[in-house]
Amino acid sequence: EELITELGELLGAECRQRGGNVLLGPCLNLQRNPLFGRHFECFSEDPFLSARIGVAYVRGVQRHVAACAKHLVCNDQEDGRHTMNSVIDERTLHEIYLAPFEAAVV
């Protein structure tokens, strides 16, 4: 976690140095499908691990600028992403998909 916080700090400092106020990241969606177009931006398929890494990253970035967690919750596919409808029960939504986003609110 310390290494991720340090990475976030460096990115936040560079963003500030370049005149930015907000860093667009981290991507807190879960890696559900290897064909997902933004798969490379995500941390993990595990909500607990994604949350821990996301919190450390945001903590580091926000020492310098604001961090903007991405992308919309459950927006985890590229094919048809503008018209898709994710139907997820309440328990799964809270225990799996929202966990990294809720944890990152620091």
Side-chain angles (χ1 to χ4, degrees), residues 33-95:
N33 182 338
L35 302 177
F36 171 44
R38 295 185 173 168
H39 193 61
F40 67 93
E41 291 182 74
C42 304
F43 293 128
S44 172
E45 68 280 356
D46 179 81
F48 179 75
L49 182 58
S50 287
R52 299 270 312 255
I53 294 172
V55 167
Y57 185 99
V58 168
R59 184 178 293 125
V61 168
Q62 292 195 154
R63 290 184 179 153
H64 302 280
V65 295
C68 178
K70 305 186 311 181
H71 293 273
L72 298 174
V73 174
C74 302
N75 181 20
D76 57 1
Q77 73 179 41
E78 283 296 302
D79 191 37
R81 71 184 173 123
H82 297 292
T83 58
M84 68 173 260
N85 181 23
S86 299
V87 179
I88 301 165
D89 67 271
E90 202 69 27
R91 181 177 178 184
T92 303
L93 178 66
H94 285 279
E95 291 181 7

